[in-house]
Amino acid sequence: MAKVNLDALIEREDFEVEENTNPGKKKETISIEDIKADSFFFSNIRKPDFQRETNEWDSERICELIKSFIEGDLIPAIILWRSTGGYLFVIDGSHRLSALSAWVNNDYGDGEISKQFYDGVIPDEQLKIAGETRKLINKKVGLYEDFRRALTHPDKVPPEIVKSAKSLAALAIQLQWVEGDASKAENSFFKINQQAAPIDKTELKLLESRKKPNSIAARAIIRSGKGHKYWSRFSKEIQDQIQEIAKEINEILFEPKLQTPIKTLDLPVGGKLSSAQTLQLILDFVNIVNKIDFNNKDFNNKEVNDDLTGKTTIKFLNKVRKVAYRLNSNHKSSLGLHPILYFYSQNGQHRTVSFLAGVDFVMKLDERKKLKDFIYVREKFEDFLQNYDYLITQIYYEKHRDVQKSYKHISNFFEQVVIDLKGGKTLNDTIDKIISSDEFKYLNIRNKEKSITSSTKEFNTNKKSEIFIKDALLSVPRCKICKGLIHRNSISIDHIQRKEDGGLAISDNGQITHPYCNTGYKN
């Protein structure tokens, strides 16, 4: 079931913020009144700035938590830490508090708090999930406003809500407190959150390196510069630049939106933005482009330091944008790699390993000044992608079984295909030569796998996508210069007879091309 985004309901803050305040005695419990957005308690509740996004619960789980609270069932204590500035940081229980806050404030990722958090720009899928969650909770629990109305106008709400509303005043959630400084609170957070519900390893990397430019860049890209601003400590000018570049990269990667089963070849380069693999894909993209290995700080003799000004983050983002332009965009440098060939399987599944291999491949073409060689053999190279797709699968699934270990080998394969085709070999001879090399001798040339006999008469989503893709590929427009497939996000209109040679802007003198084929290769 789809996860509900409640990230906006509790603000984030830096542990290190300090103000003078009277410590006083701490609360032992909180009631439903404390969860209102404008209450003294909730106004001071914060998530640590390294807290993962509050988007791990589906609508059923949120509904059950709210229902359990109303029915007086035991809810695990919320663990808090009070900073010297008076903020109450949630060490454990952010989802529980956010679920109750969502009900009280009628905001399941689409209400007023969320709209303000995302600057009024909420993704369609998030809106859809929020609406479905509200409908479920209204059916199984009831509107919070109806519980309030039951106290003054009991005749206007169902009897079961009137009964439950009367008991709400006596219900409370237990609080526990972490004592000590910010370091003790942070250690407690990671210790607690790696037990019952371990933090995803990518999230953990990002949390622990939250002040490093690659982490900030990845966070900015995935949210298109919206949501919590991990870059808020930088100057206003730097913040604006980060948000602007991140938004552009996000659009290049994830527009148009992916819908399944696939019924169009207008697919996004990066796959589905909300998928579980998206954050890892973006982080890997940032790291590959900037030559960083999270598991080896000495990779390429570079150690990533915290970014204190935001300037390094902007450098990282600019490098990522440059490669994104090259992959598929309307920028003059764009190769316009068609996603369905380069980044998806034949049944329409986005492949992270193919995306990262494509990134590495394009970077090598640039670095070795081999772009024109690629353009020269592009039509045959794309024939290879269509007819030998299963070799990519073998490199990943049958040999390395790990994205990080596979993508460079796939990139190397691509590079060798270009070299041999440019050298005059046929596609078959090229493949035969490559699979006889030490690096790829395990590959097995065979016919494409036939469809597996199924006991059902219904086509599943993947099979529907595969059938559509197979037919749709026959009619994809091609670049009139390189003969490669044209994607809607990367189209240039070229003069057949150049303007410099007297060519006119008439339809008979125009042709569709990739931007780079028009402005870089042809000229």
Side-chain angles (χ1 to χ4, degrees):
M1 185 175 289
K3 305 296 177 65
V4 185
N5 193 328
L6 305 180
D7 201 44
L9 299 177
I10 299 177
E11 292 183 45
R12 283 183 175 80
E13 187 58 80
D14 192 327
F15 262 175
E16 296 170 356
V17 69
E18 291 191 8
E19 299 171 13
N20 292 322
T21 187
N22 183 349
K25 184 179 179 181
K26 301 179 182 71
K27 292 168 69 75
E28 296 181 354
T29 62
I30 55 172
S31 69
I32 196 69
E33 291 294 315
D34 292 315
I35 302 171
K36 292 180 180 178
D38 60 353
S39 70
F40 283 108
F41 175 81
F42 209 78
S43 295
N44 284 295
I45 283 288
R46 295 291 186 273
K47 289 182 289 196
D49 64 348
F50 50 80
Q51 165 75 288
R52 55 181 161 179
E53 290 193 352
T54 313
N55 59 1
E56 292 296 315
W57 286 18
D58 59 30
S59 55
E60 288 285 354
R61 190 169 180 184
I62 291 170
C63 184
E64 285 304 311
L65 185 282
I66 297 167
K67 192 175 179 183
S68 295
F69 176 77
I70 293 171
E71 293 175 353
D73 294 339
L74 178 65
I75 293 177
I78 306 295
I79 302 177
L80 304 174
W81 173 75
R82 187 175 190 177
S83 73
T84 54
Y87 286 122
L88 310 177
F89 285 91
V90 184
I91 303 301
D92 185 54
S94 179
H95 271 90
R96 278 165 269 155
L97 270 181
S98 296
L100 290 172
S101 175
W103 181 58
V104 170
N105 297 291
N106 193 28
D107 189 339
Y108 300 98
D110 63 346
E112 290 305 313
I113 300 173
S114 293
K115 287 177 183 176
Q116 184 175 355
F117 184 72
Y118 292 109
D119 296 331
V121 183
I122 299 177
D124 291 341
E125 186 164 358
Q126 183 171 323
L127 291 172
K128 178 184 176 183
I129 295 169
E132 292 171 350
T133 303
R134 181 177 291 103
K135 184 177 179 180
L136 175 69
I137 291 172
N138 288 352
K139 178 181 179 181
K140 293 191 174 183
V141 177
L143 281 167
Y144 174 75
E145 283 303 315
D146 284 344
F147 282 73
R148 295 284 301 175
R149 189 176 295 110
L151 302 179
T152 54
H153 299 88
D155 56 316
K156 295 184 177 181
V157 296
E160 60 270 19
I161 290 182
V162 174
K163 182 179 178 181
S164 297
K166 291 178 179 178
S167 63
L168 270 182
L171 300 176
I173 299 175
Q174 191 74 28
L175 298 180
Q176 293 180 5
W177 297 87
V178 172
E179 302 296 341
D181 59 14
S183 176
K184 176 66 181 298
E186 183 169 341
N187 289 338
S188 297
F189 171 86
F190 283 110
K191 183 177 180 181
I192 291 169
N193 283 275
Q194 281 297 92
Q195 293 174 359
I199 302 173
D200 174 80
K201 64 179 182 179
T202 303
E203 276 284 357
L204 190 58
K205 289 177 185 177
L206 288 169
L207 297 179
E208 293 175 338
S209 60
R210 60 191 177 277
K211 295 182 180 179
K212 297 188 182 298
N214 47 346
S215 294
I216 299 170
R219 291 287 196 190
I221 292 169
I222 197 167
R223 285 297 175 194
S224 194
K226 306 296 183 182
H228 176 67
K229 295 176 173 55
Y230 290 87
W231 49 93
S232 61
R233 64 183 180 278
F234 305 143
S235 70
K236 178 65 164 55
E237 181 183 0
I238 293 290
Q239 289 185 49
D240 289 345
Q241 288 184 58
I242 289 173
Q243 289 165 204
E244 178 185 348
I245 300 169
K247 181 176 184 292
E248 187 174 5
I249 296 170
N250 181 283
E251 289 173 352
I252 292 172
L253 295 181
F254 301 110
E255 294 292 341
K257 299 289 189 296
L258 177 62
Q259 303 288 336
T260 54
I262 290 174
K263 297 179 180 178
T264 174
L265 294 187
D266 294 335
L267 304 174
V269 170
K272 196 167 187 177
L273 181 57
S274 61
S275 72
Q277 295 79 31
T278 305
L279 187 56
Q280 181 69 60
L281 177 143
I282 293 175
L283 181 59
D284 285 340
F285 185 19
V286 173
N287 286 339
I288 290 170
V289 169
N290 290 281
K291 302 188 184 303
I292 298 163
D293 186 345
F294 247 122
N295 300 312
N296 179 4
K297 68 180 182 180
D298 296 319
F299 180 71
N300 274 10
N301 297 314
K302 294 185 69 173
E303 183 173 353
V304 185
N305 296 316
D306 290 352
D307 188 1
L308 303 180
T309 65
K311 292 181 179 179
T312 306
T313 299
I314 289 177
K315 287 181 182 178
F316 278 29
L317 284 169
N318 276 326
K319 288 182 179 180
V320 171
R321 179 169 61 179
K322 182 179 179 180
V323 175
Y325 280 159
R326 181 70 85 187
L327 290 175
N328 187 294
S329 71
N330 266 327
H331 190 268
K332 63 182 181 180
S333 66
S334 175
L335 294 172
L337 304 184
H338 200 297
I340 195 60
L341 282 184
Y342 290 84
F343 311 127
Y344 287 76
S345 67
Q346 294 184 341
N347 65 4
Q349 294 288 307
H350 186 267
R351 294 197 296 203
T352 298
V353 70
S354 294
F355 173 80
L356 299 182
V359 168
D360 190 70
F361 173 58
V362 164
M363 288 174 64
K364 286 193 289 191
L365 290 176
D366 258 325
E367 292 166 359
R368 297 170 188 178
K369 302 187 184 307
K370 296 295 184 182
L371 285 170
K372 291 190 176 182
D373 287 357
F374 170 69
I375 298 301
Y376 183 78
V377 302
R378 181 164 176 169
E379 183 178 16
K380 292 181 180 178
F381 184 85
E382 293 190 354
D383 285 344
F384 149 71
L385 290 178
Q386 277 192 262
N387 294 299
Y388 291 93
D389 174 77
Y390 62 87
L391 293 179
I392 308 304
T393 302
Q394 285 183 32
I395 293 173
Y396 176 62
Y397 285 105
E398 297 180 22
K399 178 65 175 178
H400 301 288
R401 302 191 66 81
D402 181 89
V403 169
Q404 289 289 347
K405 295 177 181 177
S406 302
Y407 81 87
K408 275 193 170 294
H409 293 285
I410 296 172
S411 173
N412 292 344
F413 197 112
F414 290 170
E415 184 181 20
Q416 195 58 52
V417 170
V418 170
I419 291 171
D420 289 342
L421 290 176
K422 181 65 170 59
K425 292 185 180 297
T426 65
L427 183 54
N428 287 339
D429 287 344
T430 294
I431 299 301
D432 288 341
K433 179 189 173 187
I434 296 174
I435 66 171
S436 66
S437 67
D438 288 341
E439 184 177 2
F440 298 108
K441 61 185 178 183
Y442 61 88
L443 293 176
N444 177 30
I445 291 290
R446 52 179 170 75
N447 294 326
K448 293 182 181 180
E449 293 179 351
K450 302 297 182 182
S451 298
I452 298 173
T453 303
S454 174
S455 60
T456 178
K457 295 181 180 180
E458 300 296 327
F459 291 120
N460 61 27
T461 297
N462 287 349
K463 187 56 66 176
K464 288 178 181 177
S465 296
E466 183 178 351
I467 292 168
F468 172 82
I469 291 167
K470 180 181 177 182
D471 282 352
L473 277 172
L474 299 175
S475 57
V476 178
R478 290 180 178 269
C479 172
K480 295 302 187 292
I481 294 175
C482 75
K483 310 303 180 187
L485 300 189
I486 290 278
H487 184 250
R488 59 158 256 184
N489 287 0
S490 192
I491 299 175
S492 180
I493 304 299
D494 173 44
H495 286 73
I496 298 173
Q497 181 183 20
R498 300 193 315 167
K499 289 183 288 184
E500 294 87 340
D501 299 329
L504 300 177
I506 58 176
S507 59
D508 287 344
N509 192 45
Q511 60 184 1
I512 60 171
T513 69
H514 300 113
Y516 177 76
C517 291
N518 182 6
T519 63
Y521 181 76
K522 180 179 177 181
N523 295 331

